[in-house]
Amino acid sequence: MYRILVCDDDKEIVDAIEIYLGQEGYQVVKAYDGMEALHILKNQEIHLIIMDIMMPKMDGIRATFKVREESSVPIIMLSAKSEDTDKILGLNIGADDYLTKPFNPLELIARVKSQLRRYTKLGAIGTEESSKVYKTGGLWIDDEKKTVTVDGEQVKMTPIDYKILLFLVKNAGNVYSIDQIYEQVWGEEAFGADNTVAVHIRRIREKIEINPREPRYLKVVWGIGYKVEKFAQEE
Amino acid sequence: MKHNWKSSRLLRLFLGSVQVISAVILILFASVLVQISDAISGALKNQPVEQSSGFKRYVEADLERLQKYLQEREKRSIEGRDENQPVIYIYNEDRTKEIQITRQEVLAMEEGGIYFYQSGDKYVFGGGNVKKEMTFEEEEGWYAQSPEMGYITSQYGLEDLFYDEIYSWMNRIYAEELSYQSEEEFYMNFTEESSNFRYYVEDKKTGKSVLACGIKDLQDAEGMRYFKNVDTGSYRIAYGVDGMMPAADKYQDYIADYSNAEKWQTFMIALLLTGGLGWLVSLVLLLACTGYKKHKEGIVLTRMDHMRLEGYTFLLVIGVFGLWTVLMVPIGILGSGIGSSSSAVYQVIMNASVMGAVYLGCYWLLFTCVRRFKAHTSLADNFLLLSGARAVLRWLREGFKALYKDRNMSGRVILGFVSYVLASTFLLLLWDSTYSGFMRLILFLLLAALNIGTLALLLRYVGQRRKISEGAEKQAEGDWDHQIDTAGMWAEEKTLAESINQMGAGLQKAIDSATRNERMKTELIVNVSHDIKTPLTSIINYVDLIRRENCENENIRKYIQILDQKSQRLKQLTEDLVEAAKANTGNIELNVERLDMVQLLKQAMGELEDKFAARNLLVVPNLPEEGALILADGRRLWRVFENLLNNICKYAMPGTRVYLDMCRSNGMAAVVMKNISESPLNIPADELTERFTRGDASRSTEGSGLGLSIAKSLTELMGGRLELYLDGDLFRATVEFPEIIRTEEPKVPDGGEKKEETAVVSPWEEE
């Protein structure tokens, strides 16, 4: 039974989230400002925090900072501040995810689940490793078993999609144009009019990303190509 | 009042009297000093009295008188001292008429006053109780002889003879007589009783003593305080001063003074100090007090203080001169008849009063100067010359300014030039007319000054112009804050500079205000949208929760559906609002980089592929293989394409084709999207264009409200162009950007080393 701490000064939102999470079978603890959250954290075992930013007494940024001083519990930031700068600030300060209001409740739940899996799967890593596993963040591709796992959950893929994804994950961090990917995967020279690759990319995204419009792993570099984000591995 | 004591009359009175007393003391001091200065100086040097210069001087003076007497005596002995001896003979040619004048008669005549006149056929002359007569004839020759003088002279007329020669002889004889008499006096004076001077004169030829007094022979120095020998040519003289000082004469006095010198010394010093200090201190205090009046603040200047100093000095000089003249009058009237002693006294009085007048005049001058200085009067106020010069200069300057000021530019230049020409011509003409080296030098200096002055004026003008043009340039560059320094500018330059400054300041203000407004607008919009999002979140959440309740009621489900739709739309609009505001004011940070527009279009097509498929739209691309490089922000351009393609999806007639072409022209690369509209486009193109900027959401269908407006703003921000064209049911959108020349594509190796890249990155390496 996971216990999730929800911290927001808007009571209705906290209650709504409580209902959503309750329906998924999680236990919810409520807090309405940063100080309360810290206090609760000290006294109870918490597996995940959902933290708003704009709060009285202590705002979400400072609270996250303080939490990170002692714990690595996953934190999902939830805010109406949607600027890039806000997201970057939140993630840099130690949050694991950032969700803007208004949010899709399904997306929230999916993200919570993904964070929890990653957090708890820490212990279970290692026993099943084979030599040809390519990892980036929570996205693992086992080339021996030909499996794709996102945050511990396996995802089914078509062969072409798999090849594309494998190529990009192996070279995580590098950007490849449509033509380059095409040549790599199909083995022949690309001709201009084909946008099959783009379609495939979109499909892959829809499978592995919680929110395909805001992908965490497979990103579009508009006008240049595609890449898979390279994350530092958690050991 | 601080200066209470300074304005006290009593104090001044007291100080004044101190001044007078100390002045008197000083005069006393001075007079005593004059008399005994030799004594003092000698005493200070610790000389014995005989060696002091004053003593020696007395002795030598007596010696000189002795020698003079000897001379006279010699002369007398040659000629004899008979008073009844005739000294002048006057006779006619054949000596039938003769007059003799004795020495005595000459003396009498001179003392009585000589006269000479003609009476009938006789000439009469005489003086005092002497009267001589002589008959004469015309054309008679006359002779006059003076054996004493050694003269024989002749004239035709006795009158002429008299006036030309005889008269002057008589004067000379009389003068000699007087001097002899004084020498006799001297002789009388040098007795043992009357004087301490002792002498012995020996004739060198005879070896016999001629004169002696108190000394027996040339070597007898017994009892002498001073003894010397001298050889004068015909005499040998031994002289000295009797040591015992039997006579009460100047030697005695001198020695007495001398021996008292030390006492006198202290006394003198005391006199000097008291007098001097008293005078000085009282003067200083008086000067300090001068100018202050009781019950009045500050320095009070008397009427006299306002007079120019030259005038004052002039008056002073006139006054002293006048005084002197007035005092001279009695002397002039009475002539030399006044006895010498009284004349001497009068002389002293006159000198004293003149000197006193000068002293008082200078005294007053000093006081008035000090008062003026204390009152901080300017130099020009005090000197006629300066104030005159100042007045002239001021007049000139005013005159010039008046002429100069209100003329326009060309008028001023002409005026300046003309005055320059006139001035230099004038100076040159003067130069030509004078030969004096000094005048020429002055003229040269004036000419040089004129030229240098003119040059300086010109340079100054040039400098001002430069300042102005620099200032204007700075402002043109955008530095609105720069102010031109208008110090020293006149008329047009000044107005020009000031106008430029004002323009700049005005612009700066306008710009500041505009930027402020813009910033406030976007801030407002961002804040408001942020505040909207919070309740909107709750609405969306609770609508969703209601939906999850799975209500059986059909109506409720319908209503929930609508609520959900509308709240999602609201969410979209809120997000669009912020972006539109930022795009419109250009407040977006663009990550501009080189990207392939064709590739982007392909990516976009990939993203929206199922939407197109859902409406049965066939996409017909016509894109070049090599792509088209442009400079733009990838993410934002994606938004533009997304918006346009979404619109096509929404409004195109299902089952029709959508053409996506890329064409090049004039260095521009353009993506052209064409489709057939489902509903008639009853809005003309330009109105549609206008529509997006106004965001008239109410009249258009769902979703297209701000989207096109944002798309257009974004495109333009990136330096591109978005154009819509409507023809019947044909809808055409063109997105155009300047194309850049493609450089080499770098090879990216498989799994190779490459540094961590962020979301937006350019793989193209700079050559």
Side-chain angles (χ1 to χ4, degrees), chain A:
Chain A
M1 173 67 81
Y2 294 118
R3 196 175 293 126
I4 299 177
L5 169 60
V6 179
C7 186
D8 194 322
D9 61 334
D10 186 330
K11 196 171 174 303
E12 282 76 36
I13 291 182
V14 174
D15 290 343
I17 296 175
E18 190 188 13
I19 298 172
Y20 288 128
L21 293 177
Q23 284 179 358
E24 294 297 318
Y26 299 115
Q27 203 180 21
V28 173
V29 182
K30 294 189 275 198
Y32 300 104
D33 63 62
M35 302 215 60
E36 245 188 282
L38 288 173
H39 184 74
I40 292 171
L41 202 59
K42 279 201 183 55
N43 298 326
Q44 300 181 40
E45 194 195 352
I46 301 291
H47 302 105
L48 186 116
I49 306 177
I50 297 177
M51 183 89 80
D52 181 33
I53 290 185
M54 306 288 273
M55 293 188 292
K57 287 201 199 145
M58 191 191 284
D59 64 83
I61 301 287
R62 280 201 67 202
T64 307
F65 187 70
K66 286 227 165 271
V67 168
R68 279 286 170 258
E69 274 172 7
E70 289 161 5
S71 162
S72 60
V73 62
I75 301 176
I76 300 178
M77 283 200 139
L78 186 68
S79 178
K81 283 178 144 222
S82 55
E83 295 299 306
D84 285 349
T85 41
D86 304 309
K87 288 186 195 165
I88 290 169
L89 177 62
L91 291 170
N92 276 342
I93 214 82
D96 295 283
D97 210 342
Y98 195 106
L99 195 53
T100 54
K101 296 182 198 172
F103 56 87
N104 183 348
L106 296 173
E107 192 183 340
L108 176 63
I109 292 168
R111 286 185 192 251
V112 165
K113 284 189 178 161
S114 125
Q115 289 294 334
L116 284 172
R117 268 200 308 273
R118 287 182 62 189
Y119 189 59
T120 52
K121 267 266 163 135
L122 237 52
I125 299 170
T127 46
E128 298 164 27
E129 252 186 55
S130 41
S131 53
K132 278 211 200 150
V133 177
Y134 303 97
K135 300 184 197 168
T136 170
L139 171 62
W140 302 341
I141 301 184
D142 190 331
D143 204 21
E144 254 189 47
K145 300 186 191 155
K146 302 284 187 244
T147 56
V148 176
T149 320
V150 180
D151 296 334
E153 243 184 70
Q154 213 173 358
V155 180
K156 273 186 155 312
M157 288 210 144
T158 68
I160 300 284
D161 290 350
Y162 177 84
K163 278 192 199 161
I164 294 175
L165 192 59
L166 179 67
F167 171 60
L168 289 176
V169 168
K170 267 190 185 173
N171 305 294
N174 299 343
V175 182
Y176 297 96
S177 70
I178 290 177
D179 292 348
Q180 284 170 321
I181 295 173
Y182 188 89
E183 278 169 31
Q184 179 69 26
V185 171
W186 274 265
E188 16 176 274
E189 223 176 276
F191 37 176
D194 206 335
N195 71 334
T196 336
V197 174
V199 176
H200 278 281
I201 296 280
R202 191 174 56 81
R203 294 216 185 107
I204 297 170
R205 271 210 333 275
E206 277 171 12
K207 287 181 191 166
I208 66 170
E209 299 286 351
I210 295 175
N211 183 0
R213 288 190 145 257
E214 287 181 24
R216 284 184 305 165
Y217 299 105
L218 181 52
K219 294 191 175 166
V220 186
V221 183
W222 297 105
I224 300 177
Y226 302 98
K227 73 170 180 179
V228 164
E229 198 71 55
K230 184 168 183 177
F231 291 99
Q233 285 306 304
E234 299 123 20
E235 293 300 334

Side-chain angles (χ1 to χ4, degrees), chain B residues 311-322 357-358 360-362 364-365:
Chain B
Y312 184 84
T313 324
F314 181 69
L315 277 179
L316 183 64
V317 166
I318 296 247
V320 168
F321 192 72
V358 171
L360 277 174
C362 291
W364 261 323
L365 186 64

Side-chain angles (χ1 to χ4, degrees), chain A residues 12 20 23 80 82-83 101 171 173-174 178 184 192 199 202 205 213 222-227 230, chain B residues 533 537 541-542 544 548 582 596 599 602-603 606-607 609-610 638 642 750-751 754 756-758 761:
Chain A
E12 282 76 36
Y20 288 128
Q23 284 179 358
S82 55
E83 295 299 306
K101 296 182 198 172
N171 305 294
N174 299 343
I178 290 177
Q184 179 69 26
V199 176
R202 191 174 56 81
R205 271 210 333 275
R213 288 190 145 257
W222 297 105
I224 300 177
Y226 302 98
K227 73 170 180 179
K230 184 168 183 177
Chain B
K533 283 189 201 170
T537 312
N541 288 343
Y542 284 96
D544 184 68
R548 286 183 189 214
K582 289 203 298 192
D596 183 356
Q599 167 133 209
K602 284 194 207 170
Q603 287 170 317
E607 297 294 316
E609 184 229 6
D610 45 357
W638 150 243
E642 185 194 31
D750 286 22
K754 228 187 178 210
E756 192 78 20
E757 286 175 333
T758 51
V761 77

Side-chain angles (χ1 to χ4, degrees), chain B residues 539 543 546 558-568:
Chain B
I539 292 174
V543 161
I546 295 175
K558 228 195 322 177
Y559 302 155
I560 289 298
Q561 178 73 3
I562 293 170
L563 279 177
D564 189 36
Q565 252 176 27
K566 295 309 172 190
S567 50
Q568 290 298 329

Side-chain angles (χ1 to χ4, degrees), chain B residues 497-511:
Chain B
E498 279 172 356
S499 314
I500 292 180
N501 284 347
Q502 270 174 14
M503 281 198 298
L507 266 166
Q508 183 66 41
K509 249 196 276 187
I511 289 174

